[in-house]
Amino acid sequence: MNGDKNNATRAAILEAAEQIMREEGYAAVSSRKIAAKAGLKSQLVHYYFRSMDELFLALFQRVDEQRFQLLTQALASKRPLHALWKMSTDTNGPWLNKEFIALATHREQLREEIARGTERTRRIYAAVLARVLEERGLAHEAWPPAALAILLDGAARLMNSEAALGSSTGHQEAKNFIMHFLDQIEGQTAGPAVALYNSGT
Amino acid sequence: MNGDKNNATRAAILEAAEQIMREEGYAAVSSRKIAAKAGLKSQLVHYYFRSMDELFLALFQRVDEQRFQLLTQALASKRPLHALWKMSTDTNGPWLNKEFIALATHREQLREEIARGTERTRRIYAAVLARVLEERGLAHEAWPPAALAILLDGAARLMNSEAALGSSTGHQEAKNFIMHFLDQIEGQTAGPAVALYNSGT
DNA sequence: GTCTATAGGCCGATAGAC
DNA sequence: GTCTATCGGCCTATAGAC
């Protein structure tokens, strides 16, 4: 990889690549299309990234870093779980998960990088859940934070993906259900949480 | 589209296409690769499918039909929810969701077909949930079947996708949690279910 | 660092013989 | 229905001038 990491041309290339990926999917990302969108010659793309693999890797790292920053901000909010949920249901957010995961099918290095990013995000999500449940006195071995994180993240991604296809069967019910759940453990505003379940009887 | 729908060559082409899609992702599916895998000339692919769009559409319909058959079988089992869960967590099952969804980004006809298939599957899933909750006396407006269907399906797909990347953080917790949930509403074997929650206090 | 020029490959699709 | 032959396009990547 040549050139300064903070080079403006390099940044323009990644920005154009990300736009194409959002609009047309990863398979449409080519050095020629990137160059056309950024107003450059396609050979310049190869100057900054010696291969498309390298470009996709740099693009993922950029997106992952943005996501991490947003995640960190969400943690500092009054109701971090609501903030995380809002973030993960934002289809314009820096996720692009579908594309990168499909792209990673047979690109070893990218696959590992995405797995790392996924795990980091999951651990943060689970840690926040654990902390909130603990604070509200709702911690219970039957509600493992890691499991809840997967249910929430999975539902968000599934609905994002289906919405992109133009399908929304059951989405409103799921969103209401999850919002109700979040309100219960984190409060409707910043007030006290109510009991979720009764262990006995 | 030419040729008999039950033609053996046609079937071999679709079978080869499906294999390539599983192994290398949709972007690797080309008439030449299909032909190589099926031991045919690439032009034959164009004889049976006048365009790749048409081929992908036929492939999706084939996969969707298989899925529908399995779904129908699951409904007839003693514990349909357990059967559905097992089915959706089977990474070798006829899902291929990731690939088709990524592929559909800018293929209008395929997008509509996938949306239709998604909704049909979702409705069946939700209907089974509604029926079981009803039978067990657990029906309650706070647990809308459509929402539960999305949570279960989303978690299954997320874990499938992550497992393919080599990541499994929290998966065991989530699987245990969901299995516990299914056991509660559908019984551990085929026995009676226990109460899930108390509405009052 | 950006340009011109170009090699070399895989692709979808069609024409026409048999 | 399957074959041979082939067109035109877009792709990644490199060489070498400035």
Side-chain angles (χ1 to χ4, degrees), chain A residues 146-163:
Chain A
L148 297 181
I150 284 176
L151 283 164
L152 291 171
D153 199 9
R157 292 207 213 173
L158 181 62
M159 288 191 283
N160 278 343
S161 157
E162 289 182 359

Side-chain angles (χ1 to χ4, degrees), chain B residues 3 9 41 43-44 47-48:
Chain B
T9 306
K41 297 290 170 183
Q43 294 88 336
L44 257 190
Y47 172 75
Y48 283 95

Side-chain angles (χ1 to χ4, degrees), chain B residues 81-97:
Chain B
L81 292 181
H82 283 78
L84 284 178
W85 176 249
K86 195 181 168 205
M87 198 183 136
S88 59
T89 51
D90 173 15
T91 51
N92 291 321
W95 297 87
L96 279 172
N97 281 314

Side-chain angles (χ1 to χ4, degrees), chain A residues 48-141:
Chain A
Y48 283 96
F49 305 94
R50 77 181 64 241
S51 72
M52 293 304 285
D53 268 51
E54 204 173 276
L55 185 148
F56 281 123
L57 198 58
L59 182 54
F60 175 75
Q61 285 164 346
R62 196 179 96 123
V63 165
D64 195 48
E65 185 53 34
Q66 288 172 9
R67 169 162 44 193
F68 181 70
Q69 294 301 331
L70 283 181
L71 218 51
T72 307
Q73 286 173 28
L75 297 197
S77 85
K78 273 186 189 161
R79 296 191 298 163
L81 291 182
H82 283 77
L84 283 178
W85 177 249
K86 194 181 167 204
M87 198 182 134
S88 60
T89 49
D90 174 14
T91 50
N92 291 320
W95 296 87
L96 278 172
N97 281 315
K98 263 188 326 187
E99 296 303 333
F100 277 117
I101 288 173
L103 177 56
T105 312
H106 262 192
R107 308 209 186 206
E108 189 58 17
Q109 217 187 338
L110 187 56
R111 212 213 72 230
E112 287 174 10
E113 195 74 10
I114 292 177
R116 237 193 308 281
T118 295
E119 285 174 6
R120 179 171 72 160
T121 304
R122 177 68 34 77
R123 276 195 302 272
I124 295 174
Y125 213 133
V128 175
L129 269 160
R131 194 186 79 198
V132 174
L133 289 172
E134 184 67 37
E135 283 174 7
R136 305 286 180 165
L138 297 169
H140 189 282
E141 63 179 10

